[in-house]
Amino acid sequence: MILKLAEGKARIEVESKLADKIGGAMDATLRVNGAVGARATIPRTVPVAFTAKESFDVGVDLGSPVSLDSFEGGPFRVDGGIASIEVQMK
């Protein structure tokens, strides 16, 4: 699924909740400017540790593709600016 954004500023939020144990399924909700844009259940999540080549990238993913469909085209970079990033752990 590709969700296109209108030009200009947008607030993008991703809420994730483990549906099972660590490494198991996760329910994810994507919101754009407060409205739900997509919901999905991700069947497997990352276990407690990351590999040495994986990282937490903002604006580009250098370690792995978002999906196998985009494997050949990376890395994908954000064309515009990112005003701020906020991470909340609950």
Side-chain angles (χ1 to χ4, degrees):
M1 168 197 273
I2 295 176
L3 187 65
K4 293 189 176 193
L5 297 177
E7 286 191 36
K9 291 185 177 185
R11 180 179 177 96
I12 301 167
E13 302 170 78
V14 178
E15 179 182 354
S16 58
K17 293 181 181 178
L18 281 175
D20 196 13
K21 60 184 187 278
I22 292 176
M26 177 179 73
D27 295 323
T29 303
L30 174 74
R31 290 184 184 84
V32 178
N33 299 322
V36 173
R39 284 196 170 101
T41 298
I42 300 160
R44 293 182 310 187
T45 57
V46 178
V48 176
F50 290 91
T51 64
K53 69 178 187 170
E54 187 57 70
S55 60
F56 181 76
D57 307 312
V58 175
V60 64
D61 193 337
L62 300 173
S64 59
V66 174
S67 76
L68 293 178
D69 294 336
S70 61
F71 186 79
E72 297 296 324
F76 295 101
R77 300 181 190 284
V78 172
D79 291 336
I82 299 173
S84 66
I85 301 291
E86 179 182 331
V87 178
Q88 295 181 0
M89 302 293 287
K90 295 181 181 181

